[in-house]
Amino acid sequence: MPKSGVIILKQGREKSALNFHPWIFSGAIDTKRTNQHEIENGALVEVRDYQGQFVGRGIFNIDSAIRVRLLSWDQNEAIGPAWWRVRLAQAIAARQTLAERDDLSTYRLVNAESDGLPGLIVDRYGDFLVVQFLTLGVEVRKEMIIEALSDLIKPLGIYERSDVDVRQKEGLDESVGLLWGDPLPERVEIVEYGVRYPVDILQGHKTGFYLDQRDSRHWLLTSPLVGGRDVLNCFAFTGGFGVCAALNGAASVVNVDSSQPALDIARETMSINGLESGDATYVNADVFAQLREYREAEREFDLIILDPPKFAHSAKQVEKASRGYKDINMLAFQLLRPGGLLATFSCSGQVSPDLFQKIVFGASADAGVQAQIIKWLAQPEDHPVLLSFPEGRYLKGLICRVMR
Ligand code: SAH
């Protein structure tokens, strides 16, 4: 293990850490009293306030603006392999009710900071685990974490998908590949509330599938409001929302996405769920342009889904992102028949739920329609948000109904 050091905070900069926020930014550190260059990168450090009082223990990274990620606020707690194992076991135990369902084989086992394990994502896809190591702290402890996971879950294989931009902010390159056990098949078939989804874990987005939209898929699969509707599923990826709507009696489904491989899997998903090929169409196009084309053609729908990729990656991008959200939502309102439903999402953490609702309101006003919110949607229970870490909340959705 790397040798440890001590970090002294500037006066007044201990407050959020004492309230269990796990991040210490570089600017909070009293650099006159802390020799950061003596500390080995990735090592466990003790954080103290300006008076020398213990605040917590965490992992140090000189290459990151988030200089320390706190793991413990208990001075007597030792953070060795046993600690990691206990934390992993706690996160896994918190998903026990999901694990016990026989109609669900896929869910998130570890949600990073919000499970007290900064930087670590573990998703379960049936017999396989897919992991992301987003910070140096977990990167240098990879072997020990994998050993604990293989022992606690006994999967067939553990695959890494740390091909994410945020690793750059930690001074890390992308890293992808088999870490343990059997290699992945080309498609891993998962089950979610009885619906079967073929997943391409090697190439698919995130860890292969949008596990964070499970509650929204469930709404589309079970709501009595979906039957008989003409559905337009924008940013469809592998067509999860479209399949749920079709299984719930939608009259027609159009899936629009700019990725042909994703649309190919959408087609497979329809067929392995016993749906006819005529139940859905697949349009490889840019959603912004396609919605305008439908408007020109005076095409109408009864249920439009908008689940775009993250538009805002930083606070600076919020304004531009807001214009993007407003544009597609306005177009969608224009394409909806009276009584039509809009299921609209944003996964930009920087866009607050309040701001998102305002943007959707602005879009409805620009489209000249009145609409009601009939449901608020969010990330599901296996993507929890720590109260002391509101940054963990990113996904929000509204289901709106256009007034007749
Ligand atoms: N709704 C999906 C997830 C959507 S992720 C699900 O529940 O599984 C965003 C998707 O938008 C990706 O599949 C990406 O290929 C697609 N995409 C990104 N920009 C696009 C654009 N301008 N037009 C069409 N599709 C786009």
Side-chain angles (χ1 to χ4, degrees), residues 83-390:
W83 180 93
W84 288 88
R85 201 187 153 94
V86 167
R87 272 285 157 100
L88 288 167
Q90 283 168 347
I92 292 164
R95 276 79 172 171
Q96 194 54 34
T97 52
L98 297 176
E100 281 166 6
R101 294 187 68 120
D102 51 17
D103 61 350
L104 193 69
S105 68
T106 291
Y107 44 91
R108 176 155 292 186
L109 282 172
V110 179
N111 194 35
E113 269 76 350
S114 292
D115 276 304
L117 290 161
L120 182 67
I121 299 288
V122 183
D123 288 342
R124 176 172 208 162
Y125 288 88
D127 292 330
F128 293 92
L129 299 184
V130 185
V131 289
Q132 290 182 324
F133 296 89
L134 305 177
T135 59
L136 178 73
V138 284
E139 173 67 28
V140 300
R141 290 165 179 80
K142 195 181 273 184
E143 221 173 292
M144 179 253 294
I145 291 168
I146 293 304
E147 199 185 306
L149 279 174
S150 60
D151 197 43
L152 289 165
I153 301 282
K154 305 201 169 31
L156 283 182
I158 305 179
Y159 192 81
E160 178 175 14
R161 277 296 306 271
S162 302
D163 46 337
V164 280
D165 294 343
V166 287
R167 290 221 351 156
Q168 282 172 18
K169 297 187 182 173
E170 289 280 305
L172 300 168
D173 294 330
E174 294 185 354
S175 176
V176 171
L178 184 69
L179 295 178
W180 186 88
D182 294 354
L184 289 170
E186 195 183 326
R187 296 271 191 277
V188 172
E189 191 182 306
I190 58 163
V191 179
E192 187 189 86
Y193 300 128
V195 184
R196 298 160 67 190
Y197 298 94
V199 179
D200 180 351
I201 287 175
L202 305 179
Q203 306 289 333
H205 297 168
K206 296 216 198 188
T207 59
F209 194 68
Y210 286 86
L211 301 186
D212 56 358
Q213 284 288 27
R214 191 177 61 244
D215 285 355
S216 309
R217 278 189 291 274
H218 188 252
W219 185 85
L220 281 154
L221 185 66
T222 56
S223 167
L225 296 174
V226 173
R229 293 191 186 256
D230 290 321
V231 177
L232 175 61
N233 182 21
C234 298
F235 307 97
F237 186 49
T238 56
F241 288 138
V243 167
C244 290
L247 288 169
N248 194 7
S252 68
V253 175
V254 180
N255 293 301
V256 183
D257 201 281
S258 55
S259 159
Q260 191 56 48
L263 290 174
D264 291 343
I265 297 182
R267 211 181 276 274
E268 274 177 52
T269 308
M270 288 291 283
S271 85
I272 64 165
N273 285 288
L275 294 158
E276 303 286 326
S277 59
D279 290 339
T281 49
Y282 307 87
V283 181
N284 182 341
D286 172 62
V287 166
F288 291 82
Q290 190 62 36
L291 291 173
R292 288 187 160 75
E293 208 167 287
Y294 285 142
R295 187 175 60 183
E296 292 291 297
E298 296 183 16
R299 181 93 186 251
E300 290 183 318
F301 298 91
D302 313 294
L303 169 55
I304 300 181
I305 300 155
L306 295 175
D307 184 26
K310 202 194 232 184
F311 284 166
H313 295 266
S314 67
K316 274 191 211 135
Q317 294 173 351
V318 168
E319 213 183 299
K320 183 157 179 257
S322 302
R323 285 197 296 273
Y325 287 123
K326 190 171 175 191
D327 186 41
I328 52 176
N329 280 278
M330 182 202 68
L331 289 160
F333 277 123
Q334 290 174 333
L335 296 177
L336 280 168
R337 296 191 182 109
L341 299 176
L342 172 64
T344 181
F345 299 92
S346 160
C347 61
S348 304
Q350 304 276 352
V351 174
S352 69
D354 247 18
L355 174 58
F356 185 58
Q357 186 175 319
K358 284 192 183 105
I359 294 167
V360 176
F361 159 64
S364 72
D366 282 6
V369 302
Q370 286 199 69
Q372 307 161 311
I373 299 171
I374 60 168
K375 194 167 181 66
W376 280 265
L377 290 162
Q379 59 211 74
E381 65 181 81
D382 51 339
H383 294 59
V385 180
L386 202 59
L387 273 172
S388 59
F389 183 67

